[in-house]
């Protein structure tokens, strides 16, 4: 795991600690919740797209990429779709997909928030 930290004044630290306590939380857990929730809210009406890493392609996308390579080598561009070629995006986008899957920012935000509820070891 990596650490993300920000510098705040003593006054801000004190106030954030008291807010967390008022919500019956430790400051560290509160930070996960605020960071995750804030990330989701920040991008709820602002678009963002980021290039996918190799591990972020689904099995279906990897399978389609292999099909696409074969089709691209064997057929002229005008006949690709007829041979099974389908576009595979190289980017993650922050809007919900047609199949109901949540956008990557919301998924990331939810995963960060879940860290607040995990048992600390």
């Amino acid at each position: 795991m990596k650490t993300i930290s920000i510098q705040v004044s003593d006054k801000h630290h004190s106030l954030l600690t008291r807010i967390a306590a008022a919500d019956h939380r430790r400051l560290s857990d509160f930070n996960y919740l605020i960071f995750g929730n804030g990330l989701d809210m920040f991008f709820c009406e602002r678009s963002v797209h980021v290039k996918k890493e190799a591990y972020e392609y689904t099995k279906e996308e990897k399978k389609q990429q292999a099909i696409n390579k074969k089709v691209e080598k064997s057929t002229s561009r005008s006949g690709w779709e007829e041979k099974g070629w389908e576009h595979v995006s190289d980017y993650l986008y922050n809007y919900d997909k047609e199949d109901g899957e949540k956008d990557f920012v919301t998924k990331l935000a939810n995963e960060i928030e879940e860290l607040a509820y995990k048992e600390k070891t």
Side-chain angles (χ1 to χ4, degrees), residues 1-119:
M1 281 243 198
K2 301 278 186 181
T3 299
I4 297 174
S5 63
I6 61 170
Q7 298 241 329
V8 295
S9 69
D10 290 344
K11 178 181 170 183
H12 292 153
H13 187 274
S14 172
L15 190 53
L16 288 168
T17 302
R18 289 180 284 143
I19 292 170
D23 198 37
H24 307 292
R25 301 193 185 280
R26 295 180 295 204
L27 180 60
S28 60
D29 295 338
F30 182 70
N31 289 338
Y32 285 116
L33 296 172
I34 295 303
F35 189 86
N37 196 280
L39 182 64
D40 197 25
M41 286 184 172
F42 187 80
F43 286 105
C44 74
E45 293 184 9
R46 180 180 291 184
S47 346
V48 64
H49 62 275
V50 296
K51 188 133 175 71
K52 288 181 183 177
E53 298 283 340
Y55 70 89
E56 292 171 318
Y57 290 94
T58 65
K59 288 179 185 176
E60 293 80 18
E61 288 173 326
K62 289 177 183 177
K63 183 178 175 184
Q64 187 60 51
Q65 285 174 325
I67 292 169
N68 289 354
K69 274 188 180 178
K70 287 180 185 176
V71 170
E72 289 167 6
K73 288 180 182 178
S74 67
T75 309
S76 67
R77 181 153 176 84
S78 63
W80 284 2
E81 283 80 13
E82 294 169 6
K83 299 284 186 175
W85 187 95
E86 293 178 16
H87 175 72
V88 175
S89 180
D90 291 328
Y91 291 87
L92 297 169
Y93 299 91
N94 70 319
Y95 53 81
D96 291 342
K97 301 197 171 92
E98 294 173 14
D99 62 4
E101 183 183 340
K102 291 291 182 198
D103 72 75
F104 83 100
V105 173
T106 298
K107 286 169 81 171
L108 173 61
N110 291 341
E111 290 169 4
I112 290 171
E113 286 182 38
E114 287 173 14
L115 293 173
Y117 304 113
K118 282 194 170 187
E119 287 291 321

